[in-house]
């Protein structure tokens, strides 16, 4: 590690209050050795080097009234979050320089930072940005004119979120390359942000923070750590969103319904303020948030959220779809986990980190192109979809740039006389203070052991803490210089080796791996299969399958694991034997599952349960056939063409997708309406499909041609399933008519719907 970088990192951690229990090593002190993580990093490096820097800078130059040198990139880069990618790109290049020493990344950082300095000088007030209407919005806020929604602040799409990415990129550019201009530009941006928020009342700030604002409280706290200027700690506290942080500090899970990725950076910043300012309530909030997300809102990959939102805690079974586990979320959860481990080196932090790193992040990159995922879908029969390299520029493209530069983080930590090995990733660590170099050689998780060689300047005494994973229930084997050592530690802890270490000492550690299952928290008969730390998934091939043809597991006596066998000569490859219906499948690591459809969660039945399931399926098919035969007209709310075909209109009406089914509702006393065909001679009924878990303020009237035929209140009418409710229509309302106008009118302060399906049918 060069002297400039060492000094920068010391500055970053020079003001801990209270002191951190352990420190993470800089990624500049860790070099990856051959293996899947290094391969992913190298693919990412090639992608980063293919970018046109002037295209990333174009919006910044335009905003500063300077002539752009190239055409601005498209996708999100020509929308309200323009410029966020440049921030991620600076962070990714800085990390890539640190972890590889490749000077090409330093050259790119130097050029971009100096271009940003020119933009800042031209702007005159410290602001730099590519956000359309950004300067206008921030000027209004500075005057106390604050208008906020979830993703709109004064008519602009999440401007503070974008500023967070830019400031973080400048911070990382200085930390990892020593580019002094980066710190100067970053500090002027911090002063500008102080000026924008100086005149706001506490109420106005809280209103402002209702709009997604990234981790402004984190980067402001880091500016305090880097400069020692307390005004930046005050700035950090101005960005603490109390509506979200306060419940967590009081150990209240208030996450249900919140946009997930909006929340993570707030808690990373809260954890940082606890370290730097001694703000106990922010520390409590961050720790509780982590516990709730990991143990009550996460899937077996370590990822979380469905359609970008949290649901009720421990209710995941019916939250599987094409938009599970947004990759940004896991990126941020790994950042938060590293922070919390430094505060308190608890093994459960390392257990989660391993699960999420291997089973989500490593598998979120296309091995053929280096493209990255937005979501990693977990519903059976789907496949991973990858963003474009140079057209999309979504949030997960930005974090995707960074994800695969950070594999050296989280492996090793140190205290004054302690060294922690949390992950078994082939790598070499340089620990200069005691004069130690550690080399870890392994093919884990394709093999069950790792070999650690220590090179020391003389004799060095410290405690080597080797993580003992929770999944390693078959014991362990440990040798030092070939001699077996007894182990008293248990899974879910650390093996602590306190001794004098000499040059050339070799520690070999083995954790025998085995198959085991993890069930859905709300459905014990839907399980995932693991082998050691590795999530296994069934390979379905590239072709789409009908839901009823997807394999299930039918198991008589005994456990599922007994009917899953390893495939000879193929590491981490297994096959179900005689339990798959209608077919057995091959299972491979989910992180190696690409360009084909998969099964992650398996439905498990006994033979008797399978027969009952099939009978229920046949009965439901018969019900649907009979319903279809009676149907006069049907509209799918939330789908554009069907709604147009049925003359949709409404006020305060929204639409979306849940469990791959479209819906429409009306909020805050709003309404929506369709025109449906009717029968002029026969009695008819309106049949509405609802999500049976909907509840809350959902009272609304249903009208036929302006006449109320029913008042409905949704209060979990059929939990965790869809339900059809029929509303008979009085004969006089349809007599002689071939069409009627159907309106859903929410009561004041209530919502109407959501409605997942709407049909006119002959009465039974």
């Amino acid at each position: 590690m060069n002297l400039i970088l060492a000094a920068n990192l010391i500055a970053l951690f020079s003001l801990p209050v209270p002191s951190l229990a352990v420190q993470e090593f800089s990624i500049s002190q860790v070099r990856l050795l051959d293996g899947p993580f290094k391969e992913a990093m190298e693919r990412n490096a090639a992608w980063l080097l293919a970018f046109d820097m002037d295209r990333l800078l174009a919006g910044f130059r335009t905003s500063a009234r300077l002539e752009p040198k190239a055409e601005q990139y498209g996708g999100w880069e020509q929308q309200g979050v323009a410029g966020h990618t440049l921030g991620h790109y600076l962070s990714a290049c800085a990390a890539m320089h640190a972890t590889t020493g490749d000077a090409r990344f330093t050259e790119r950082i130097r050029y971009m930072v100096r271009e940003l300095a020119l933009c800042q000088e031209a702007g005159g007030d410290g602001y730099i940005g590519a956000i359309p209407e950004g300067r206008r919005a921030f000027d209004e806020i500075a005057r106390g004119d604050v208008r906020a929604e979830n993703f709109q602040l004064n008519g602009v799409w999440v401007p503070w979120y974008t500023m967070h990415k830019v400031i973080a990129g400048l911070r990382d550019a200085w930390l990892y390359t020593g580019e002094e201009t980066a710190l100067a530009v970053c500090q002027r941006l911090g002063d500008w942000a102080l000026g924008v928020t100086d005149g706001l009342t506490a109420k106005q700030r809280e209103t402002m923070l209702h709009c997604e604002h990234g981790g402004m409280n984190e980067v402001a706290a880091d500016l305090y750590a880097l400069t020692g200027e307390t005004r930046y700690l005050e700035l950090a506290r101005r960005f603490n969103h109390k509506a979200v942080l306060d419940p967590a500090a009081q150990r209240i899970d208030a996450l249900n319904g919140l946009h997930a990725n909006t929340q993570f950076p707030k808690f990373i910043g809260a954890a940082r303020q606890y370290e730097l300012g001694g703000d106990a309530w922010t520390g409590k909030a961050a720790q509780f948030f982590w516990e709730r997300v990991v143990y009550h809102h996460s899937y077996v990959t370590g990822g979380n959220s469905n359609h970008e939102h949290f649901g009720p805690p421990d209710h995941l079974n019916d939250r599987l779809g094409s938009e599970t586990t947004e990759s940004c979320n896991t990126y941020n959860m790994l950042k938060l986990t590293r922070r919390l481990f430094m505060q308190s080196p608890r093994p459960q932090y390392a257990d989660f980190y391993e699960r999420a790193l291997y089973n989500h992040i490593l598998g979120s990159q296309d091995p053929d192109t280096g493209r990255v995922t937005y979501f990693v879908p977990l519903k059976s029969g789907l496949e991973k979809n990858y963003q474009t390299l140079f057209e999309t520029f979504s949030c997960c493209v930005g974090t995707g740039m960074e994800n695969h530069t950070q594999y050296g983080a989280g492996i090793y930590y140190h205290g004054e006389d302690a060294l922690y090995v949390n992950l078994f990733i082939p790598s070499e660590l340089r620990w200069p203070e005691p004069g130690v170099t550690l080399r870890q050689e392994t093919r884990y998780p394709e093999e069950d052991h790792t070999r650690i060689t220590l090179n020391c300047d003389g004799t060095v005494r410290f405690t080597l803490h080797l993580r003992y994973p929770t999944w390693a229930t078959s014991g362990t084997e440990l040798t030092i210089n070939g001699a077996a050592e007894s182990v008293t530690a248990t899974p879910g802890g650390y093996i602590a080796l306190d001794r004098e270490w000499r040059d050339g000492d070799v520690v070999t550690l083995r954790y025998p791996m085995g198959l085991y299952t993890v069930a859905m928290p709300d459905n014990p008969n839907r399980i995932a299969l693991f082998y050691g730390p590795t999530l296994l998934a069934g390979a379905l091939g590239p072709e789409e399958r009908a839901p009823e043809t997807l394999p299930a597991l039918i198991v008589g006596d005994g456990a599922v694991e007994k009917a899953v066998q390893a495939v000879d000569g193929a590491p981490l490859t297994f096959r179900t034997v005689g339990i798959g219906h209608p077919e057995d499948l091959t299972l491979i690591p989910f992180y190696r599952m690409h360009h084909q459809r998969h099964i992650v969660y398996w439905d498990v039945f006994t033979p008797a349960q399978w027969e009952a399931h099939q009978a229920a399926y046949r009965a439901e098919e018969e019900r649907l056939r009979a319903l279809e035969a009676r149907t006069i007209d049907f509209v799918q709310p939330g789908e554009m063409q069907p709604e147009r075909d049925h003359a949709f209109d409404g006020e305060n009406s929204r639409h979306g997708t849940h469990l791959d089914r479209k819906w429409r509702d009306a909020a805050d006393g709003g309404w929506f309406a369709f025109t449906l065909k009717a029968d002029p001679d026969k009695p008819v009924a309106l049949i509405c499909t609802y999500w049976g878990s909907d509840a809350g303020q959902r009272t609304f009237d249903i009208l036929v041609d302006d006449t109320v035929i029913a008042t409905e209140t949704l209060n979990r009418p059929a939990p965790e399933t869809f339900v059809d409710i029929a509303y008979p229509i009085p004969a006089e309302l349809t007599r002689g008519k071939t069409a009627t106008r159907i309106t859903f009118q929410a009561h004041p302060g209530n919502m109407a719907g959501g409605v997942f399906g709407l049909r006119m049918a002959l009465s039974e």
Side-chain angles (χ1 to χ4, degrees):
M1 180 170 60
N2 65 58
L3 295 178
I4 293 176
L5 179 56
N8 293 353
L9 292 173
I10 290 170
L12 183 62
F13 298 110
S14 63
L15 299 169
V17 183
S19 297
L20 295 172
V22 297
Q23 293 277 7
E24 64 178 341
F25 286 96
S26 165
I27 54 176
S28 65
Q29 296 173 264
V30 179
R31 287 287 184 267
L32 297 181
L33 304 178
D34 289 345
F37 291 101
K38 185 179 180 182
E39 292 168 2
M41 181 188 71
E42 289 172 342
R43 284 189 291 269
N44 196 69
W47 179 32
L48 294 175
L49 291 171
F51 274 92
D52 184 330
M53 294 176 288
D54 286 322
R55 294 191 70 181
L56 289 172
L57 287 160
F60 290 86
R61 290 184 63 88
T62 298
S63 177
R65 297 184 175 85
L66 300 173
E67 185 69 24
K69 298 179 180 180
E71 181 184 0
Q72 192 169 353
Y73 279 117
W76 286 24
E77 279 302 302
Q78 291 194 2
Q79 300 178 36
V81 291
H84 82 107
T85 305
L86 178 141
H88 286 295
Y89 185 76
L90 283 175
S91 292
C93 286
M96 196 63 77
H97 161 77
T99 197
T100 67
D102 190 332
R104 290 176 295 177
F105 294 105
T106 314
E107 293 167 2
R108 285 178 167 255
I109 287 170
R110 183 174 296 115
Y111 175 78
M112 297 184 76
V113 165
R114 293 180 182 180
E115 282 287 305
L116 291 175
L118 291 175
C119 293
Q120 194 172 56
E121 182 178 354
D125 60 356
Y127 172 78
I128 53 172
I131 306 167
E133 295 291 310
R135 188 181 291 277
R136 185 267 306 161
F138 285 123
D139 286 347
E140 290 175 355
I141 293 165
R143 297 195 300 267
D145 177 9
V146 182
R147 307 183 307 279
E149 300 174 12
N150 288 343
F151 306 109
Q152 295 285 328
L153 183 60
N154 287 57
V156 175
W157 188 12
V158 296
W160 283 120
Y161 168 96
T162 303
M163 295 308 301
H164 162 237
K165 311 311 173 197
V166 175
I167 295 172
L170 290 164
R171 173 201 63 193
D172 294 339
W174 183 75
L175 281 173
Y176 289 118
T177 71
E179 177 58 49
E180 293 291 343
T181 305
L183 181 59
V185 174
C186 189
Q187 194 164 352
R188 286 194 69 191
L189 262 179
D191 292 338
W192 165 82
L194 278 163
V196 172
T197 56
D198 269 341
L200 300 182
T201 66
K203 183 177 180 180
Q204 288 171 327
R205 288 199 300 269
E206 190 70 8
T207 298
M208 178 182 74
L209 298 180
H210 184 62
C211 176
E212 184 177 13
H213 50 275
M216 283 297 299
N217 59 348
E218 177 206 9
V219 291
D222 281 344
L223 267 176
Y224 165 59
L226 294 172
T227 65
E229 299 289 343
T230 56
R231 65 183 185 275
Y232 298 127
L233 185 58
E234 168 58 25
L235 178 63
R237 289 167 175 157
R238 290 178 187 177
F239 281 92
N240 285 335
H241 190 196
K242 288 184 170 293
V244 172
L245 296 180
D246 278 350
Q250 298 165 23
R251 302 191 65 78
I252 297 170
D253 185 339
L255 300 178
N256 184 21
L258 293 183
H259 183 257
N261 195 48
T262 296
Q263 316 314 321
F264 297 101
K266 301 173 186 178
F267 289 93
I268 296 169
R272 192 73 173 115
Q273 287 175 56
Y274 169 65
E275 297 165 10
L276 296 170
D279 300 346
W281 76 276
T282 64
K284 292 177 182 177
Q287 182 177 331
F288 178 76
F289 174 78
W290 186 93
E291 292 171 356
R292 295 304 297 181
V293 171
V294 170
Y295 298 124
H296 302 280
H297 293 276
S298 291
Y299 300 90
V300 288
T301 57
N304 61 74
S305 87
N306 188 40
H307 297 291
E308 302 194 9
H309 287 72
F310 288 119
D314 301 311
H315 286 266
L316 300 176
N317 186 70
D318 294 308
R319 289 175 53 79
L320 294 173
S322 60
E323 296 184 1
T324 46
T325 63
E326 183 181 350
S327 295
C328 278
N329 299 4
T330 304
Y331 158 88
N332 276 313
M333 275 299 290
L334 294 183
K335 288 180 65 176
L336 178 59
T337 302
R338 294 199 300 270
R339 291 245 67 86
L340 295 179
F341 185 85
M342 286 190 284
Q343 295 174 12
S344 177
R346 297 160 58 193
Q348 51 264 52
Y349 291 137
D351 275 343
F352 168 76
Y353 200 95
E354 177 182 74
R355 175 171 287 194
L357 189 71
Y358 277 93
N359 300 307
H360 188 165
I361 297 302
L362 183 60
S364 68
Q365 182 197 62
D366 180 2
D368 296 337
T369 65
R371 294 183 298 157
V372 296
T373 62
Y374 196 129
F375 302 103
V376 175
L378 299 180
K379 183 179 180 180
S380 294
L382 300 181
E383 64 179 312
K384 298 173 185 175
N385 291 305
Y386 307 95
Q387 305 273 279
T388 60
L389 291 175
F390 302 108
E391 290 81 29
T392 312
F393 295 107
S394 71
C395 53
C396 290
V397 167
T399 55
M401 291 178 182
E402 296 189 54
N403 273 328
H404 309 288
T405 69
Q406 293 291 324
Y407 288 131
I411 305 175
Y412 307 106
Y413 296 81
H414 67 94
E416 186 174 349
D417 298 305
L419 175 62
Y420 287 79
V421 179
N422 275 4
L423 301 174
F424 309 115
I425 292 176
S427 53
E428 185 172 274
L429 167 70
R430 296 182 302 281
W431 188 14
E433 290 80 5
V436 173
T437 298
L438 179 152
R439 185 178 179 88
Q440 183 175 187
E441 297 170 291
T442 183
R443 292 180 60 244
Y444 179 100
E446 292 189 359
E447 63 183 16
D448 61 6
H449 61 276
T450 189
R451 174 187 171 93
I452 295 172
T453 303
L454 294 165
N455 293 311
C456 308
D457 296 339
T459 299
V460 182
R461 188 176 191 98
F462 61 88
T463 302
L464 181 63
H465 295 269
L466 303 172
R467 177 171 148 262
Y468 197 154
T470 298
W471 55 259
T473 56
S474 297
T476 184
E477 297 174 9
L478 174 69
T479 67
I480 300 179
N481 299 326
E485 297 281 329
S486 62
V487 175
T488 58
T490 56
Y494 282 94
I495 300 170
L497 303 176
D498 181 6
R499 56 179 285 153
E500 291 185 342
W501 298 96
R502 294 176 171 80
D503 190 50
D505 281 345
V506 176
V507 178
T508 302
L509 183 64
R510 177 173 179 260
Y511 293 122
M513 298 180 186
L515 287 162
Y516 60 96
T517 63
V518 177
M520 274 287 189
D522 50 336
N523 183 357
N525 294 320
R526 178 168 284 174
I527 58 97
L529 274 161
F530 278 82
Y531 184 76
T534 306
L535 173 64
L536 303 173
L540 290 170
E543 299 301 321
E544 185 176 2
R545 300 192 184 194
E548 62 271 17
T549 68
L550 293 172
L553 302 180
I554 303 175
V555 182
D557 296 332
V560 170
E561 300 94 312
K562 294 180 181 179
V564 178
Q565 297 181 2
V567 175
D568 291 340
L572 291 178
T573 303
F574 300 83
R575 190 164 180 83
T576 61
V577 180
I579 61 172
H581 184 86
E583 63 188 287
D584 283 308
L585 289 183
T586 297
L587 293 85
I588 64 173
F590 191 50
Y591 69 77
R592 291 202 318 234
M593 184 71 72
H594 300 282
H595 307 300
Q596 64 173 315
R597 297 171 187 273
H598 55 250
I599 294 180
V600 172
Y601 283 106
W602 301 81
D603 289 324
V604 181
F605 302 89
T606 65
Q609 288 171 336
W610 179 251
E611 285 301 318
H613 173 77
Q614 289 295 92
Y617 178 78
R618 289 190 293 268
E620 177 62 11
E621 280 193 318
E622 181 56 38
R623 184 189 75 84
L624 292 175
R625 277 194 295 269
L627 181 59
E628 191 64 31
R630 294 165 42 217
T631 297
I632 302 167
D633 198 4
F634 175 82
V635 58
Q636 178 57 63
E639 286 192 357
M640 180 181 65
Q641 195 59 49
E643 289 195 331
R644 287 182 176 179
D645 292 343
H646 291 83
F648 163 76
D649 195 7
E651 290 184 3
N652 291 342
S653 184
R654 312 173 304 175
H655 63 88
T657 305
H658 176 62
L659 297 181
D660 293 331
R661 295 183 67 166
K662 302 290 187 181
W663 55 262
R664 179 168 290 283
D665 67 15
D668 300 325
W671 60 273
F672 60 94
F674 303 101
T675 297
L676 272 71
K677 297 175 184 176
D679 191 299
D681 303 314
K682 300 176 182 178
V684 295
L686 188 69
I687 300 175
C688 300
T689 303
Y690 303 111
W691 173 238
S693 290
D694 275 344
Q697 300 296 105
R698 295 179 184 267
T699 297
F700 53 94
D701 294 331
I702 302 173
L703 299 87
V704 175
D705 290 334
D706 300 323
T707 299
V708 176
I709 64 164
T711 297
E712 182 64 83
T713 297
L714 296 181
N715 186 20
R716 294 179 62 83
E720 307 304 330
T721 189
F722 291 99
V723 59
D724 289 340
I725 297 180
Y727 303 95
I729 298 177
E732 62 270 19
L733 295 182
T734 59
R735 186 176 296 120
K737 296 180 181 179
T738 58
T740 58
R741 189 70 172 163
I742 308 299
T743 303
F744 294 82
Q745 173 67 64
H747 285 199
N750 279 255
M751 298 174 64
V755 178
F756 287 79
L758 183 63
R759 72 177 68 228
M760 188 74 74
L762 296 173
S763 296
E764 291 185 286

